[in-house]
């Protein structure tokens, strides 16, 4: 009896898998391993002293609070932008759609300088905020503005194709049965786009945590007030304190991984709940 050997749909799977593992090891695993090994030279006591210092804790608090605020802002307004681009036709739509990707192409340092100029107390936009005693540039609020700018495309580009796939016939059927606009959005549209929206939020949040170039020009970089953790890492490197810099980086990595793991678990739970 002839025996048939099952083949993978992808030719050369074993070779491709080997290249994939090698590539990920060189690009991701080896640098992360070196980071942990360098931090291990401090010992638990040294690592705890650095991680629990007031300046490091303040920088971490500024980093994660502003990143979360920017990601939430992008989740709300990114959904609005994606909705407008998908559901409406208007002059200049393609131009607006292209502007969404501008933060991807624009160097972050240029974005930071531009935002600091615009939102400075004497800037084009900052003067109007200053008239109401609201200071944007050189404050944590300025950090949120910069992080919102660089994170918006992640939400829009994640939600946009999913929103485009929502069938209009289902909405029309619900409307014909007496459902209002809010009911249609809450019961039909939002459950369909929620996993994508949560993914976009996670991507924007992860991008904001490690942002440096666009923030340092608008943050003011005042310790305990508007100093972010990436800036503190750079300061440690300039002082040749490599172990201290890697300790802060490891701490950021662990916190970020825990938060993203929680977000992914929430996404998995919501998708399982929606499939029932």
């Amino acid at each position: 009896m002839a025996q048939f050997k099952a083949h993978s749909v992808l030719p050369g799977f074993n070779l491709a898998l080997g290249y994939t593992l090698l590539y990920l090891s060189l690009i991701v695993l080896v640098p992360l391993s070196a980071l942990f090994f360098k931090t291990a030279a401090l010992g638990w006591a040294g690592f705890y002293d650095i991680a629990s210092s007031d300046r490091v804790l303040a920088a971490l608090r500024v980093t994660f609070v502003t990143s979360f605020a920017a990601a939430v802002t992008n989740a709300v307004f990114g959904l609005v932008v994606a909705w407008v681009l998908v559901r409406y036709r208007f002059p200049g739509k393609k131009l607006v759609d292209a502007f969404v990707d501008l933060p991807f192409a624009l160097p972050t340092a240029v974005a930071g300088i531009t935002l600091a100029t615009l939102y400075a107390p004497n800037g084009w936009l900052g003067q109007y905020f200053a008239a109401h005693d609201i200071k944007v540039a050189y404050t944590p609020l300025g950090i949120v503005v910069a992080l919102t700018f660089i994170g918006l495309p992640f939400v829009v580009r994640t939600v946009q194709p999913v929103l485009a796939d929502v069938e209009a016939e289902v909405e029309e059927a619900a409307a014909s049965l007496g459902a209002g606009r809010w009911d249609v959005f809450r019961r039909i549209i939002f459950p369909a786009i929620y996993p994508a929206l949560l993914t976009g939020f996670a991507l924007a949040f992860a991008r904001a945590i490690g942002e440096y170039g666009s923030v340092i020009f608008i943050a003011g970089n005042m310790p305990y007030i508007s100093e972010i953790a990436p800036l503190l890492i750079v300061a440690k490197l300039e002082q040749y304190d490599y172990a201290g810099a890697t300790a802060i980086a490891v701490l950021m990595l662990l916190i970020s991984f825990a938060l993203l793991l929680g977000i992914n678990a929430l996404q998995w739970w919501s998708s399982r709940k929606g499939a029932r």
Side-chain angles (χ1 to χ4, degrees):
M1 188 179 196
Q3 293 182 353
F4 297 94
K5 183 179 180 181
H7 294 278
S8 172
V9 176
L10 297 177
F13 173 75
N14 293 331
L15 183 61
L17 179 61
Y19 277 119
T20 300
L21 296 177
L22 177 62
Y23 179 80
L24 290 178
S25 298
L26 293 176
I27 301 300
V28 179
L29 297 181
V30 172
L32 290 181
S33 299
L35 187 68
F36 280 95
F37 279 126
K38 189 68 177 180
T39 305
L42 291 170
W44 285 110
F47 176 78
Y48 179 79
D49 290 339
I50 294 175
S52 61
S53 64
D54 293 338
R55 187 175 179 181
V56 171
L57 292 177
L60 290 172
R61 181 173 63 254
V62 171
T63 300
F64 284 96
V65 170
T66 55
S67 297
F68 182 80
V72 171
T73 303
N74 280 324
V76 175
F77 291 98
L79 174 59
V80 174
V81 173
W83 182 278
V84 171
L85 292 176
V86 172
R87 293 303 179 95
Y88 298 102
R89 295 182 180 179
F90 53 90
K93 177 180 177 179
K94 292 185 178 180
L95 186 62
V96 174
D97 190 54
F99 279 152
V100 172
D101 294 327
L102 184 62
F104 285 150
L106 192 67
T108 55
V110 175
I113 295 173
T114 303
L115 292 173
T117 303
L118 288 174
Y119 288 97
N122 59 346
W124 289 355
L125 300 177
Q127 59 182 333
Y128 299 107
F129 289 98
H132 297 84
D133 295 327
I134 300 175
K135 190 175 182 181
V136 179
Y138 317 123
T139 65
L141 180 58
I143 301 176
V144 175
V145 171
L147 297 181
T148 301
F149 174 80
I150 59 101
L152 178 64
F154 291 97
V155 178
V156 176
R157 295 311 184 204
T158 305
V159 174
Q160 190 174 359
V162 178
L163 186 60
D165 289 338
V166 177
E167 298 180 358
E169 291 80 2
V170 179
E171 302 176 39
E172 294 173 357
S176 66
L177 294 175
R181 293 184 178 181
W182 171 246
D183 290 328
V184 172
F185 177 80
R186 182 170 59 92
R187 295 180 179 274
I188 297 176
I189 300 176
F190 187 75
I193 65 174
Y194 176 69
L197 183 63
L198 193 59
T199 299
F201 168 83
L203 292 174
F205 179 67
R207 177 69 179 85
I209 289 175
E211 178 59 22
Y212 175 77
S214 65
V215 174
I216 58 173
F217 294 101
I218 196 174
N221 307 322
M222 293 179 288
Y224 305 100
I225 299 176
S226 60
E227 184 181 50
I228 59 174
L231 176 64
L232 191 55
I233 293 175
V234 173
K236 292 283 186 180
L237 293 175
E238 291 176 347
Q239 299 169 4
Y240 302 101
D241 185 7
Y242 300 118
T246 56
I248 301 173
V250 167
L251 187 60
M252 285 188 64
L253 180 64
L254 294 176
I255 297 174
S256 302
F257 181 78
L259 291 174
L260 292 177
L261 184 63
I263 294 172
N264 288 333
L266 179 61
Q267 183 181 9
W268 174 82
W269 175 80
S270 62
S271 61
R272 287 287 301 272
K273 184 179 179 181
R276 292 178 181 177

